[in-house]
């Protein structure tokens, strides 16, 4: 039975850390996928009143930027993102293992058991 994380954690014990990246044309992307592209459709200078405004169109890969992969991303028949409850994603145990240096030379690097164990020391 699922027990919502916020029911057993004191708010004072929680630390929120924004691990997000800015989503723009220079944002890091998975190898071999399209990056974000932006097209300016209108600006206040190129559109007439009373509808003068900025309007942009964006194109990017669905896995761009900081996001959550639902179980269905990897498991046939798994839950999709709208089936996940927010409380399942907050206050759950986690570890941040810094493998940035390794990823500089290998963008397909998968964290190893040894790296996880070394982080525990």
């Amino acid at each position: 039975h699922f027990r919502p994380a916020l029911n057993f954690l004191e708010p004072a014990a929680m630390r929120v850390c924004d691990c997000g990246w800015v989503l723009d044309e220079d944002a890091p992307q998975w190898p071999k996928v399209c990056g974000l592209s932006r097209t300016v459709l209108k600006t206040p200078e190129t559109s007439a009143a009373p509808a003068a405004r900025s309007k942009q169109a964006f194109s990017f890969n669905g896995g761009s930027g900081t996001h959550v992969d639902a179980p269905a991303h990897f498991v046939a028949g798994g839950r999709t993102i709208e089936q996940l409850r927010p409380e399942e994603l907050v206050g759950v145990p986690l570890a941040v293992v810094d493998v940035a240096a390794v990823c500089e030379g290998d963008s397909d690097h998968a964290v190893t058991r040894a790296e996880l164990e070394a982080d525990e020391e």
Side-chain angles (χ1 to χ4, degrees), residues 7-68:
N7 285 350
F8 62 88
L9 282 179
E10 293 294 323
M14 294 181 4
R15 179 175 166 232
V16 176
C17 179
D18 180 359
C19 297
W21 291 84
V22 173
L23 187 57
D24 64 13
E25 292 91 334
D26 298 319
Q29 297 291 327
W30 284 104
K32 301 177 185 165
V33 299
C34 64
L36 181 139
S37 66
R38 176 185 359 216
T39 304
V40 176
L41 303 173
K42 293 183 179 184
T43 68
E45 297 80 19
T46 63
S47 53
R53 66 190 185 282
S54 291
K55 186 173 182 181
Q56 302 175 57
F58 299 90
S59 174
F60 57 94
N61 180 277
S64 298
T66 305
H67 66 281
V68 173

Side-chain angles (χ1 to χ4, degrees), residues 93-107:
L94 65 88
V96 176
V97 180
D98 185 358
V99 292
V102 177
C103 291
E104 287 293 325
D106 178 7
S107 60

